[in-house]
């Protein structure tokens, strides 16, 4: 996975609050066993941390306007090729370049969404959240929230091979939820039902498919600032890392790993095979119209 060294990164699409100080120095809930339980319950790649009782009420949270790390460090594509946080900036830029192009091709206008990098805890329109909930998209403020520490947990706790494109897959999946929100389909997951054929699972699989659609076009979509693709190389090994990450967060894999048995009636995100299938569907066709998981 390689970015154009000379490309200018647009850091306005990422808000970095990792340098924020949480007032009062109070302990926060997050990580470890609580994080794993949250993932099993379907928070991973989900929405609305307040819906799972993981909000902190009146406890202090990091402000989303108090740090500028990526603004200072992430200037060029060369930075994205050497720094993890700059890579996330570049992926966000690439994903949104694609969706702007795709919406324009279809006669519409894409509404951008920022990604917020946070440390341990952050306030959102969906409630205050800790890193326990994993990456998530909040439809209330149309932002993606990400603690970079999740990527290490994805590898060490969930058995993913990791790699830069595994990270890119996670980001692209969350922007798949943003696209669903713009299209009015995201709300289907909020009917309270679980199971292999539930709307919750169908929404997640569609977001996987949308991530694959982006990946298909990533190396040919021109960047708004240069007219050249921001992502210049994506290999078969990269795609395998993405597929491996998709499988690692399949409901069956998570349940087997952390509760010792598989209970499909509690699924909220789909099996490992389903998640790989729908990412591959998007990547193989490059057509968001082929991502209708609700049929």
């Amino acid at each position: 996975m390689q970015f154009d060294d000379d490309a200018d990164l647009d850091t306005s699409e990422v808000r970095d609050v990792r340098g924020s100080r949480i007032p009062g120095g109070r302990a926060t809930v997050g990580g470890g066993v609580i994080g794993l339980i949250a993932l099993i319950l379907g928070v991973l790649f989900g929405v609305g941390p307040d819906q799972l009782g993981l909000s902190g009420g009146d406890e202090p949270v990091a402000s989303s306007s108090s740090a500028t790390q990526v603004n200072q460090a992430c200037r060029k594509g060369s930075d994205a090729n050497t720094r993890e946080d700059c890579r996330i900036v570049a992926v966000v830029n690439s994903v949104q370049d694609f969706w702007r192009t795709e919406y324009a091709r279809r006669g519409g206008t894409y509404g951008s969404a920022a990604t917020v990098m946070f440390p341990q805890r952050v306030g959102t329109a969906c409630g205050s959240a800790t890193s326990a909930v994993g990456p998530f998209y909040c439809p209330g403020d149309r932002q993606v929230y990400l603690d970079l520490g999740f990527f290490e947990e994805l590898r060490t706790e969930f058995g993913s091979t990791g790699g830069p494109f595994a990270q890119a897959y996670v980001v692209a999946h969350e922007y798949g939820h943003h696209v669903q929100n713009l299209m009015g389909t995201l709300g289907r997951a909020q009917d309270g039902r679980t199971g292999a054929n539930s709307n919750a699972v169908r929404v997640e699989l569609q977001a996987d498919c949308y991530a694959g659609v982006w990946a298909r076009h990533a190396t040919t979509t021109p960047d708004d600032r240069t007219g050249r693709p921001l992502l210049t190389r994506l290999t078969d090994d990269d795609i395998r890392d993405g597929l491996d990450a998709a499988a690692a967060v399949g409901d069956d894999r998570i349940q087997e790993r952390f509760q010792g048995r598989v209970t499909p009636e509690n699924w909220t995100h789909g099996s490992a095979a389903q998640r790989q299938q729908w990412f591959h569907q998007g990547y193989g066709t490059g057509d968001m119209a082929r991502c209708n998981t609700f049929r």
Side-chain angles (χ1 to χ4, degrees):
M1 183 175 178
Q2 183 79 21
F3 295 96
D4 178 0
D5 281 337
D6 296 325
D8 294 321
L9 300 184
D10 182 2
T11 57
S12 71
E13 295 187 337
V14 175
R15 301 168 63 190
D16 187 352
V17 304
R18 291 172 298 160
S20 302
R21 180 179 178 272
I22 300 177
R26 296 170 64 182
T28 60
V29 178
V33 174
I34 292 175
L36 300 181
I37 293 173
L39 295 178
I40 293 170
L41 291 176
V43 187
L44 178 61
F45 301 151
V47 298
D50 56 326
Q51 299 169 7
L52 287 105
L54 293 174
S55 299
D58 296 328
E59 292 185 27
V61 299
S63 165
S64 60
S65 61
S66 57
T68 56
Q69 292 188 46
V70 297
N71 288 345
Q72 298 166 357
C74 305
R75 303 284 186 166
K76 292 287 188 178
S78 56
D79 299 320
N81 289 323
T82 56
R83 285 180 56 123
E84 181 182 62
D85 52 359
C86 298
R87 182 186 306 130
I88 300 305
V89 174
V91 171
V92 169
N93 290 170
S94 176
V95 169
Q96 299 209 103
D97 281 342
F98 167 70
W99 287 115
R100 275 189 288 269
T101 300
E102 181 66 9
Y103 267 63
R105 186 180 72 83
R106 293 173 175 268
T109 301
Y110 171 76
S112 296
T115 284
V116 179
M117 294 182 186
F118 71 95
Q120 298 182 322
R121 188 172 189 77
V122 70
T124 83
C126 297
S128 59
T130 72
S131 55
V133 304
F136 66 94
Y137 170 75
C138 174
D141 55 26
R142 294 187 175 186
Q143 294 188 121
V144 171
Y145 290 87
L146 176 65
D147 184 332
L148 297 185
F150 166 76
F151 295 129
E152 179 65 13
E153 188 173 77
L154 180 63
R155 187 180 63 82
T156 60
E157 299 291 343
F158 294 91
S160 168
T161 56
F165 191 76
Q167 300 173 1
Y169 154 73
V170 170
V171 173
H173 174 102
E174 295 307 332
Y175 275 91
H177 285 318
H178 177 57
V179 170
Q180 291 172 322
N181 191 34
L182 295 177
M183 297 177 66
T185 57
L186 184 60
R188 295 192 186 190
Q190 304 305 307
D191 61 7
R193 298 177 181 178
T194 62
N197 296 313
S198 67
N199 282 338
V201 167
R202 294 177 190 275
V203 162
E204 296 298 330
L205 297 179
Q206 186 176 62
D208 283 335
C209 189
Y210 286 163
V213 171
W214 160 73
R216 177 71 176 190
H217 297 284
T219 59
T220 58
T221 299
D223 181 67
D224 293 343
R225 292 161 292 281
T226 67
R228 304 187 305 271
L230 180 56
L231 187 61
T232 59
R233 187 175 72 239
L234 197 59
T235 68
D236 290 343
D237 285 342
D238 291 323
I239 298 302
R240 278 192 288 272
D241 284 343
L243 288 167
D244 187 75
V249 291
D251 282 323
D252 54 341
R253 291 274 187 93
I254 292 175
Q255 289 176 339
E256 180 65 34
R257 191 176 185 93
F258 298 112
Q259 68 183 31
R261 68 187 189 281
V262 176
T263 54
E265 63 273 16
N266 295 326
W267 287 3
T268 57
H269 290 72
S271 69
Q274 286 176 312
R275 301 199 72 163
Q276 287 188 323
Q277 172 194 344
W278 281 101
F279 176 86
H280 196 271
Q281 169 86 352
Y283 183 69
T285 65
D287 184 0
M288 67 180 298
R290 300 288 295 277
C291 293
N292 187 356
T293 56
F294 295 94
R295 290 177 180 170

